[in-house]
Amino acid sequence: MKVQQYAEKEGAWKSLSPVTSDFNPQLVLVFGGRFRFEDPDTTALVKKLFPQATTVFCSTSGEIAGLEVFDDTLVATAIQLEKSTLKAHKVGIELAADSMQAGIELANKFDAEDLKGMIVISDGAVVNGDDLVAGLEKTLPKGCTISGGLAGDGARFEKTITGLNDDIGEGQVIGLGFYGDAIKIGVGSGGGWTPFGPHRK
């Protein structure tokens, strides 16, 4: 697998590392401020990057590019799978009470055979994340990992935007399924406190 990250600067994409001529990603994950995704020019800007790739959009409460964090920008992560295959589906949702059913409906859109892992990008304003995951776990094949998250809206908490290819808007849950024995998916986490300043009582 090859990964390349880009940051949008004044209407143009800037690569954060050198790009090789044989880089041909199947997937582009685009994170940005909510208002950027309400601008119709954003879709065209993203499609200029890799027009043939499956593109997933997600509004945020801050974008990470390399070691920096930005607000109300666009950051794209392009992924080339060398031996695995990818499938993408989405479902709509209007009420938080339907979150578990949305997870079940989304999981049922994927072929279970050889499905090794799923990334889920979900509307964050109307979705109960716990119930969504419960629906996915109830339906997906045993051993299929689930990762992803809920879209953000800065500090406003008004509405969030997600999208798959040309369909961008509210109330959408996007699923990306990764297939094949060649792909290995792991999960890690860290926590705790980092001390700073003088010791005090």
Side-chain angles (χ1 to χ4, degrees), residues 11 13 21 31 56 69 71 103 111 123 142 172 175 185:
W13 291 106
S21 60
F31 298 93
V56 175
V69 179
D71 286 309
D111 296 328
D123 183 288
K142 185 177 180 181
Q172 297 191 100
I185 301 174

Side-chain angles (χ1 to χ4, degrees), residues 65-199:
L67 300 177
E68 298 183 82
V69 179
F70 302 96
D71 286 309
D72 298 317
T73 64
L74 293 175
V75 173
T77 301
I79 300 170
Q80 177 179 335
L81 301 171
E82 297 178 88
K83 298 180 181 179
S84 304
T85 57
L86 166 74
K87 294 183 180 179
H89 295 288
K90 64 182 178 63
V91 296
I93 183 171
E94 295 182 358
L95 301 172
D98 297 330
S99 297
M100 181 177 289
Q101 184 58 39
I104 294 171
E105 183 181 343
L106 181 63
N108 279 328
K109 288 179 176 285
F110 290 86
D111 296 328
E113 186 176 357
D114 289 331
L115 180 61
K116 302 303 180 184
M118 183 179 290
I119 294 177
V120 180
I121 303 295
S122 172
D123 183 288
V126 297
V127 171
N128 181 314
D130 290 340
D131 289 348
L132 177 67
V133 171
L136 290 165
E137 289 181 331
K138 182 179 181 180
T139 313
L140 289 171
K142 185 177 180 181
C144 177
T145 63
I146 304 170
S147 58
L150 301 175
D153 184 27
R156 291 175 294 270
F157 300 97
E158 295 171 351
K159 63 180 180 178
T160 61
I161 304 292
T162 58
L164 177 61
N165 295 323
D166 295 327
D167 188 4
I168 305 173
E170 300 176 68
Q172 297 191 100
V173 183
I174 317 297
L176 300 167
F178 296 86
Y179 288 82
D181 292 333
I183 192 165
K184 306 298 180 186
I185 301 174
V187 177
S189 64
W193 297 89
T194 300
F196 67 96
H199 290 281

